[in-house]
């Protein structure tokens, strides 16, 4: 099997090369906005072929982009519109089911591309040369630029690893260009024998991640500083936006992205700790697709309610899950998704499931049937671990591994939930990971 890595290469450009790359970036961004306006004006087209046939000549004449870039622009715009159409359709289904009352407004106007990041196709727009040099296509022709990067990533490139498309990214603060390259790294196919341990990972707002194994081991990963800094950033943005001066606007631009980088760093640290501590393991993660649509927001306009809604809207669980997934493969482990239903409400000891098991939705879990008491997030991690163990047993018996639950079939999901309800936690009878 293969896993995808992103190699970040720093481009050491001359002033002339810097100007050529920057001019190409801005032309690429302007062409994206042109095609986006055309797609919106002609029925919000998402078909890349139709967009290319209609806009290719104009892109070449107006923005002077090379032929391959002129083909990449409609593809990128078409992919963006497809993603927006998917969100619109999902939102309509959720509104019909009564899960939400809000209407998704992503296609009320033409999407605007602000970032000048452009896409390069390997062996067409860019190629690698000897002695850590890369050839890049610009509006004025090709330029050869020396690069530096992480030693292991550079070694993979020089070794002949399968290389995909790349993105030319500009760090405005440092006035530095970076080339973000997609690498397909070949990994050994997973087998039940190589994944000897089962781990459940529960993510949440109070604790970023809580892990549990079938042997009773557990770890709590909290990052209080990120939450505090997030609230501070929200208050600071509010004051600056209310002030509205030019200096306040410049300050808003300066602090933009800081909160996102802090959260990404926290997710990197936590995911690395998890996969390093649990090597050669089958790691279970909750399937949290459309979790915001299924979560009730606090109603009202008080400061406490606005603060809670703001925190809910900034979940980064998908990013943490993706980091655990790709890092697990590098540590001879593998991450799979399990159903997230009732993981924090089901008693792992007796199976009793109800909302009252979580008094006031707090951190204490108290089973109303058997009085089993434990930390609520740890209960969720143990339930995920048991469901992951069940999938591993099916993997051993059938030879097929289910890496993601099928949520399109309600009957199949009901059967899975019925099987989960029969699981019981008992560390005394849990087999050794060597078995």
């Amino acid at each position: 099997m293969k896993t995808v890595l992103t190699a970040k290469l720093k481009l050491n450009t001359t002033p002339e090369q810097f100007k050529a790359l920057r001019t190409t970036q801005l032309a690429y961004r302007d062409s994206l906005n042109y095609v986006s306006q055309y797609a919106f004006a002609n029925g919000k087209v998402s078909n890349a072929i139709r967009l290319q046939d209609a806009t290719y000549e104009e892109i070449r004449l107006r923005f002077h982009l090379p032929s391959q870039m002129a083909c990449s622009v409609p593809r990128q715009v078409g992919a963006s519109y497809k993603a927006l159409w998917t969100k619109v359709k999902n939102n309509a289904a959720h509104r019909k089911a009564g899960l939400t009352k809000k209407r998704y407004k992503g296609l009320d106007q033409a999407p605007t591309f602000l970032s000048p990041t452009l896409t390069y196709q390997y062996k067409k727009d860019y190629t690698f040369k000897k002695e850590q040099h890369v050839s890049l296509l610009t509006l004025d022709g090709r330029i050869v630029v020396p690069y530096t990067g992480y030693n292991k990533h550079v070694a993979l490139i020089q070794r002949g690893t399968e290389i995909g498309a790349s993105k030319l990214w500009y760090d405005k603060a440092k006035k530095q260009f970076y080339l973000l390259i997609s690498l397909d790294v070949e990994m050994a196919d997973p087998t039940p024998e190589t994944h000897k341990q089962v781990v459940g990972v529960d993510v949440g707002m109070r604790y970023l991640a809580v892990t549990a194994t079938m042997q009773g081991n557990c770890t709590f990963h909290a990052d209080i500083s990120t939450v505090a800094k997030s609230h501070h950033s929200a208050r600071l943005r509010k004051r600056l936006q209310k002030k509205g001066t030019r200096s306040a606007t410049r300050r808003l631009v300066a602090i933009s992205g800081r909160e996102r980088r802090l959260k990404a760093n926290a997710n990197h640290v936590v995911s690395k700790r998890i996969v390093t501590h649990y090597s050669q393991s089958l790691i279970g993660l909750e399937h949290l697709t459309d979790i915001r649509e299924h979560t009730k927001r606090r109603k009202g306009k008080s400061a406490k309610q606005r603060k809670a809604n703001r925190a809910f809207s900034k979940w980064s669980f998908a990013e943490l899950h993706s980091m655990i997934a790709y890092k697990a493969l590098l540590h001879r482990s593998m991450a799979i998704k399990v159903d997230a239903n009732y993981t924090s409400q089901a008693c792992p000891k007796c199976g009793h499931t109800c909302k009252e098991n979580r008094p006031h939705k707090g951190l204490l879990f108290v089973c109303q049937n058997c009085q089993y008491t434990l930390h609520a997030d740890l209960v969720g991690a143990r339930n995920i671990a048991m469901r992951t163990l069940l999938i591993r047993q099916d993997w051993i018996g059938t030879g097929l591994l289910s890496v993601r639950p099928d949520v399109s079939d309600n009957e199949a999901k009901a059967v899975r939930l019925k099987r989960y309800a029969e699981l019981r936690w008992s560390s005394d009878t849990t087999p050794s990971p060597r078995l």
Side-chain angles (χ1 to χ4, degrees), residues 2-120:
K2 293 182 179 180
T3 182
V4 180
L5 299 179
T6 300
K8 182 179 179 181
L9 304 181
K10 181 179 180 180
L11 302 179
N12 303 314
T13 58
T14 63
E16 293 77 13
Q17 292 173 338
F18 180 93
K19 183 178 179 180
L21 290 176
R22 189 61 177 164
T23 303
T24 306
Q25 269 197 332
L26 296 178
Y28 190 89
R29 182 186 64 183
D30 293 341
S31 62
L32 286 173
N33 288 316
Y34 163 73
V35 177
S36 178
Q37 292 288 343
Y38 174 87
F40 186 82
N42 290 270
K44 305 173 184 178
V45 182
S46 62
N47 188 292
I49 297 177
R50 288 177 57 190
L51 288 176
Q52 180 174 331
D53 292 341
T55 61
Y56 177 83
E57 295 296 337
E58 187 67 21
I59 293 173
R60 295 273 286 165
L61 291 174
R62 182 186 296 188
F63 305 103
H64 310 291
L65 288 184
S67 59
Q68 183 57 50
M69 289 188 188
C71 295
S72 297
V73 168
R75 295 175 190 173
Q76 184 172 340
V77 175
S80 299
Y81 270 83
K82 279 186 178 180
L84 292 174
W85 272 118
T86 300
K87 292 182 180 180
V88 169
K89 293 176 181 178
N90 290 341
N91 176 254
H94 292 149
R95 289 169 61 198
K96 186 176 181 180
L99 298 175
T100 183
K101 294 182 180 179
K102 291 187 176 181
R103 185 180 66 85
Y104 183 70
K105 303 177 181 179
L107 279 177
D108 285 3
Q109 56 185 359
T112 302
F113 294 84
L114 300 178
S115 173
T117 300
L118 66 85
T119 302
Y120 278 138

Side-chain angles (χ1 to χ4, degrees), residues 215-263:
Q215 290 71 44
N217 301 324
C218 63
T219 55
F220 289 78
H221 303 274
D223 195 347
I224 305 301
S225 61
T226 302
V227 178
K229 290 177 181 177
S230 175
H231 294 327
H232 171 72
S233 298
R235 293 192 298 268
L236 182 59
R237 283 196 301 271
K238 182 180 178 180
R239 292 199 299 267
L240 291 173
Q241 289 169 353
K242 187 176 181 180
K243 197 170 185 180
T245 61
R246 290 184 62 186
S247 59
T249 303
R250 286 196 297 268
R251 185 59 183 163
L252 282 169
V253 173
I255 66 175
S256 64
R258 183 177 300 170
E259 182 181 346
R260 177 189 56 79
R261 292 192 297 272
L262 286 172
K263 290 188 176 182

